[in-house]
Amino acid sequence: SMLNQAVAREIQVSAQYMLQHTKIEKLKRRIIKENYLLESTTYDEFGKLLEELAIQEMKHLADIMERIYILGGEATTKPDKIIIGNSMREFAELNVKAEEEALELYRQIIEAAKNIGDRETWVMFSKIYSDEEEHLLKFQDYSEMENEPDLGETEESEWRAIFGKDYVTLLNKALASEISAVVQYTTQHEKAEGLERMRRKKAALEVITGKNKASVVSDMLKTIFREEMDHM
């Protein structure tokens, strides 16, 4: 149950940070001179950071899921509530809160793993804890920035004006489908990885190649998962 709380949190933040990363493009359209005069703006730098951390959180998610399956459990596919925000400072403040909650949960998991002698989980979460602490410090820097002035957005061009709310709703359905696929394929990949590590290789070809059916399926799912991340 504690490990699945971690899974739900990792799904939440990986999606949250990636969606914030893409929303940065909308914020950049605001009428602020630096967006036109500089090759790299605060928006660009924060956007890169969000993308990097989203990918790192997905790696945490994969590691925790695989550990759950190795221990004989079933990983959840339901995230904690995803909240995006409407400005860089709001992104950072929401993400500081998410990281603080993660650190509190992971301290409990590290202590529990130590108490029952589960060294592998203890080592894994100790490493993840260090990563999350680094994320917290980075988001704290951005949360202390002044709010950017709200000068409105550039006027909508004619081509953008033709895309109404119903059309955006369709695109959001596609986005929800991609998020669902990413979580599903990640879960299946880690379950296959766990099965591959737990099952003995019996056939001669399995022993020689180090592969069995579970590992082949795992490799296939990993490729598809990466494509779905790009779609998202």
Side-chain angles (χ1 to χ4, degrees):
S1 177
M2 291 178 74
L3 296 182
N4 267 320
Q5 287 177 51
V7 167
R9 196 212 73 85
E10 294 290 347
I11 297 174
Q12 172 215 337
V13 293
S14 59
Q16 184 167 304
Y17 299 169
M18 189 60 76
L19 292 170
Q20 289 172 342
H21 159 71
T22 55
K23 194 170 184 178
I24 286 283
E25 290 302 314
K26 179 179 180 180
L27 299 182
K28 281 174 67 177
R29 297 210 316 269
R30 292 184 175 178
I31 306 171
I32 300 175
K33 289 182 180 179
E34 74 164 6
N35 293 346
Y36 303 116
L37 299 178
L38 301 178
E39 292 183 4
S40 180
T41 68
T42 308
Y43 294 89
D44 297 309
E45 295 306 311
F46 193 33
K48 288 177 187 175
L49 174 65
L50 288 166
E51 183 179 28
E52 290 170 5
L53 298 191
I55 293 169
Q56 194 168 37
E57 300 290 9
M58 285 299 297
K59 291 177 180 177
H60 293 169
L61 171 64
D63 289 342
I64 299 168
M65 280 183 164
E66 182 180 355
R67 188 62 184 160
I68 288 173
Y69 286 117
I70 287 174
L71 296 175
E74 193 75 24
T76 184
T77 57
K78 295 181 180 179
D80 286 342
K81 187 175 181 180
I82 298 167
I83 308 175
I84 301 173
N86 293 300
S87 69
M88 285 199 296
R89 181 167 180 171
E90 192 174 357
F91 291 176
E93 289 172 344
L94 288 167
N95 298 350
V96 164
K97 184 176 183 295
E99 294 295 343
E100 287 175 342
E101 291 172 351
L103 290 172
E104 182 179 353
L105 172 62
Y106 294 172
R107 282 193 293 271
Q108 296 173 20
I109 293 174
I110 289 168
E111 184 66 21
K114 178 182 177 182
N115 289 339
I116 65 173
D118 182 3
R119 178 170 171 76
E120 286 297 319
T121 301
W122 182 85
V123 169
M124 181 180 71
F125 271 95
S126 294
K127 174 61 172 66
I128 292 174
Y129 187 93
S130 296
D131 291 342
E132 304 295 7
E133 191 174 76
E134 187 176 334
H135 297 179
L136 173 64
L137 295 174
K138 288 180 179 179
F139 286 134
Q140 282 177 339
D141 289 341
Y142 281 93
S143 68
E144 293 168 1
M145 292 192 317
E146 292 183 11
N147 274 320
E148 61 263 36
D150 188 357
L151 302 177
E153 294 182 10
T154 51
E155 292 184 9
E156 296 289 354
S157 58
E158 289 185 10
W159 73 266
R160 183 175 283 124
I162 68 173
F163 303 114
K165 290 183 178 179
D166 289 344
Y167 189 73
V168 174
T169 297
L170 280 173
L171 296 180
N172 270 316
K173 286 182 178 179
L175 175 60
S177 176
E178 292 296 339
I179 293 173
S180 177
V182 166
V183 174
Q184 180 173 317
Y185 299 156
T186 302
T187 305
Q188 291 171 340
H189 171 259
E190 299 313 324
K191 191 170 188 176
E193 281 282 295
L195 290 173
E196 191 273 335
R197 287 180 60 183
M198 297 300 287
R199 288 180 177 170
R200 296 183 65 182
K201 298 172 179 65
K202 298 180 180 179
L205 189 60
E206 289 180 344
V207 176
I208 294 170
T209 62
K211 295 281 187 180
N212 57 21
K213 288 182 180 179
S215 60
V216 171
V217 171
S218 174
D219 290 343
M220 179 188 70
L221 288 167
K222 188 173 184 179
T223 301
I224 297 173
F225 151 77
R226 286 176 176 172
E227 290 177 352
E228 299 293 0
M229 278 291 288
D230 289 337
H231 295 169
M232 186 178 84

